[in-house]
Amino acid sequence: MIILKETKNGLAFDILVIPHASRAEIVCIQDGAFKLKVTAPPVEGAANDACIKLLAGELDLKKSQMGISHGAKSRRKTVTVKNINKKELELKINS
């Protein structure tokens, strides 16, 4: 189960990222976080952008609603989503 945290900037959850994968996908949920594979390398924010694009597509959100708030240079990152309530985001995650 994904752990959602309420912050002053919106709702936050953690992701674990594997860059340079053969294809982009959400692999599983591990330790309360999404585990993602992205094809982009971890250079100049390319993998971060790929994570946001993948999550926005899978969760049916706009990329402008999402951002990496912590861990931009780490494999474990915190994503913040704004302009959505907790129940709506939980429904999108669980579907």
Side-chain angles (χ1 to χ4, degrees), residues 52 56 61-67 80-83:
I52 296 299
L61 296 168
K62 296 178 183 174
K63 289 189 292 184
S64 61
Q65 284 181 271
M66 306 176 78
T80 302
V81 182
K82 54 188 173 183
N83 301 326

Side-chain angles (χ1 to χ4, degrees), residues 49-61:
D49 293 341
C51 290
I52 296 299
K53 183 178 178 181
L54 175 63
L55 286 168
E58 292 291 325
L59 298 176
D60 193 30
L61 296 168

Side-chain angles (χ1 to χ4, degrees), residues 2 4 11-17 24-29 33-38 47-69 77-81 84 89 92-93:
I2 297 296
L4 289 176
L11 296 170
F13 59 90
D14 290 340
I15 59 173
L16 301 167
V17 182
E25 64 181 338
I26 296 175
V27 179
C28 64
I29 296 173
F34 280 120
K35 186 172 184 180
L36 308 177
K37 288 183 178 181
V38 294
N48 293 341
D49 293 341
C51 290
I52 296 299
K53 183 178 178 181
L54 175 63
L55 286 168
E58 292 291 325
L59 298 176
D60 193 30
L61 296 168
K62 296 178 183 174
K63 289 189 292 184
S64 61
Q65 284 181 271
M66 306 176 78
I68 307 265
S69 56
K77 305 171 186 306
T78 301
V79 175
T80 302
V81 182
I84 191 168
L89 187 55
K92 289 179 181 281
I93 288 171

